[in-house]
Amino acid sequence: MRISWNWLRSLIATDGSEDLSVQEAAEVLTSTGLEVESVELLEPVKGMLQGVVVGHVLECAKHPDADRLSVCLVDQGAEGPVQIICGAPNVAVGQKVLVATVGATLHMTEGDVVIKKAKIRGIESHGMICAEDELGLGQSHAGIIVLDPSAKPGTPAAEQLGLRTDHVLEIGLTPNRSDALGHFGVARDLVAALRHRLGRGLRLKPPHVSAFRDGGPGQAITVEVENPHVCPRYCGLTLTDVHVAPSPTWLQDRLRSIGLKPINNVVDITNFVQHELGQPLHAFDAARIHEGRILVRHLAAGTLFTTLDGTERTLSDEDLMITDTAGGLCIAGVYGGMGSGVTDGTTTVFLESACFDPVSIRRTAKRHALHTDASFRFERGADPEITRFALERAALLLMEVTGARPVGTVIDAYPHPRPWREVRLHLRNIEGLTGLSFAMDEVVGILELLDCRIAERSETDLLVQVPPYRTDVHREADLVEEVLRIHGFDRVPLPASLQVPPAALRKEVSAEAGKALADHLAARGFREIMTPSLVNGASSVGLGAADPEQHVRLRNPLSAELDVLRPSLLFGALQAAAHNVARQRRDLRLFERGRVYARTEKGAHEEDRTALLITGKRWRERWRAEAPLTELADVKAELELLLERILPNARATWEPAMHPLLHDVVEARVGKRLMALAGGVHPKVHKAFGIAQPVFFAELIDAHWIQEHRSVKFVEVPKYPEVRRDLSLLLDRSVTFARLRSIALHAERKLLRQVDLFDVYEGDKLPQGKMSYALSFILQDVERTLTDEQVDKAMERIRTALELEAGAVLRG
């Protein structure tokens, strides 16, 4: 939030003995919890016309060698008269002008220009008489600027023109501090802190509204609030004889200082009061309110309404609307309507100041993806007690700036005034929570500086009445925080030593398995990524990721583009890959550990997963060999290495599977547990993310890996040798190696340790529909050396099982 220092100072009265610096104020505000993230110098003109002064043209004669130039003698004040060559057609004797002296820097559109002593057509010139565009004061170059005759020579230009620098404080406001959403709220904290800590003679100087009076007779707008539970207070006033025009300079300067663009005097005043007091206002063209009646109500679901940005929106029956008898005028507390706003031809205005329910406004703003200054404030809780005050403040400004005249009385619909919240505060608990001792008078003084009332007081405790605008103060601990932050968070002394009791470190199996997995992948050249848990639900459905009924949707998403908890880690991995590919990093090996979410019959379900993504070349290019592109086999090989590293005792089987976003999918199982799934990303999917090259992906189910990891046992290295036997088998093309491996391991459970495929042959020398696999079998007994007879019997069991279950035929 941007706060203008000049604006802030106008709301603080000093005792005249000392001034307040912006840096001191920034430090104090930060220590109260209003963190000032930056302080920016704001200059109405770059350089503030340093070196430019008022000059008095004493003499003016034509240049002897140039028809369009004049030789002028100019009085610059203390430095005395100097000779200046001027090319402006309107220069004349007696004029008061702005002179850039020698050494001054002018910040022009074409670049910076340093004024130097020069000879022009043989005659010396000691400065420059300036036009608007040369000083950055406008666009005109028709002639020099001619000042009022009363201007005094030598006066700095910035002083003569009334230019003032400002500073903008960028405050990182936390969501609970709705009371500091205007300059007045920030000033309140600053005054309280300085008075308490330093005894400064400061006081708040709120804008005066005592001059406001109800208007005379006339056609005033009437108001009816049909839903007071979502609009606790509604104030309105009709003003006529309004003259819509550009705002005066002071008002435009205030708005520009906080980054707002002036529009017209009516709209600018509503914005000004909003940022001064933190209370949003809205101005309607009264002539466009049908039958002169305002109705605060809900419209039927499906009603169409066009907002100021020209967008036609479909309303929900939960959207609170400001309407007339014909239809909607404004989405309450969020955004105005196209058909009711103030225009250049407006002469009668209905001014609205209201307090709306924060939950209702937040839901409406999220539903329509409208995030305005007004909704930002109403969502955090507006002060119902300032509603009328803000209206009267704006009305007085409209009367002053636009010539407006109020009609009738102020409408104030406030059927159920909000009481001040009462909280009991015990002195001993302040010390218990802060570690600091406070006197009772000190505590009372701080709370009163924050507009709290003391309903009851004893030696040990207080009954404190909290103003309604402090929507975040509900408990005793909240009041303790208020006392501490005005005292100063940075003033809490640090003890000489900090003692932390030792705690036993419990080693979690899940953390151990996760670290082993991450370490292994990092050693294999994978880089860990972290991506958001939120994805675009519509995009994921469009790509065929999942049934939308299975999505876990946010009720109030921060963005319509991020409204669903991710059903897969694939989306984040593809976004990370696309980011790298777009920056010429095409050979990628990425992994991420995170959660995925799905809605089941039992409700929302979340599960930890680990994702692997490989794309590009298998290894870096070398002069001796060309680097091949990665294939699905590379992802599968990485999974097999992971199984060997993390689950050395496990025997995994591989089977074909299906996945909506992948092709050639295979899954790895250990027993009945699904360990991982791998495949190539469908081209339409990775191209949707801007990746043209093939991408391969795998996703591991962490819980199953952890469960299997618990059963890992370590034994000594076998003392007895392995025995290898090979078989060459003729098979149908449909038979996979994974199936053969599974059959063999089940046929010989005791001695068979490993099965590998080392050759595949498919050619015209084999029968139609057949292929040849060459398999190796590693057998070992951990207790004794195997005999030929034992090996032969084991191999016979394996061969028989392969023949019976897979139709294998032993080749000679």
Side-chain angles (χ1 to χ4, degrees), residues 475-510:
R475 307 168 301 160
E476 183 179 30
D478 298 330
L479 282 177
V480 173
E481 181 184 0
E482 292 301 293
V483 172
L484 181 59
R485 70 182 188 81
I486 296 303
H487 176 76
F489 291 123
D490 59 339
R491 300 173 71 198
V492 178
L494 289 174
S497 62
L498 293 175
Q499 297 181 354
V500 180
L505 180 63
R506 188 176 63 167
K507 200 170 185 179
E508 294 287 346
V509 175
S510 58

Side-chain angles (χ1 to χ4, degrees), residues 226-246:
E226 295 185 3
N227 307 94
H229 62 287
V230 287
C231 180
R233 189 172 192 180
Y234 190 96
C235 295
L237 178 66
T238 305
L239 297 107
T240 192
D241 296 338
V242 174
H243 176 63
V244 178

Side-chain angles (χ1 to χ4, degrees), residues 267 282-286 288 308 329 336-344 346:
V267 176
H282 191 75
F284 298 90
D285 186 336
R288 304 167 82 176
L308 277 172
L329 301 173
M338 180 67 79
S340 62
V342 173
T343 66
D344 291 344
T346 298

Side-chain angles (χ1 to χ4, degrees), residues 43 166 180 197 226 229 248 311 378 707 753 760 773:
E43 297 177 328
D166 195 1
R197 300 178 197 179
E226 295 185 3
H229 62 287
T311 302
F378 283 127
Q707 290 166 4
R753 297 286 177 261
V760 178
Y773 275 2

Side-chain angles (χ1 to χ4, degrees), residues 56-63 69-74 84-95 129 144:
H56 182 199
V57 181
L58 303 176
E59 298 177 7
C60 183
K62 290 294 182 182
H63 194 293
L69 298 179
S70 299
V71 181
C72 302
L73 185 66
V74 182
I84 299 176
I85 308 299
C86 180
N90 64 328
V91 64
V93 173
Q95 290 176 337
I129 304 176
I144 59 172

Side-chain angles (χ1 to χ4, degrees), residues 778-795:
I778 304 297
L779 299 99
Q780 186 180 48
D781 192 327
V782 296
E783 297 177 352
R784 62 180 64 84
T785 301
L786 289 173
T787 64
D788 289 342
E789 182 179 359
Q790 288 176 306
V791 173
D792 290 342
K793 287 182 178 180
M795 290 303 300

Side-chain angles (χ1 to χ4, degrees), residues 365-366 369 371 379 534 554-563:
K366 300 296 184 187
H371 305 285
E379 286 175 20
L534 298 173
L554 300 186
R555 290 182 178 176
N556 292 305
L558 293 175
S559 166
E561 299 297 316
L562 299 172
D563 59 339

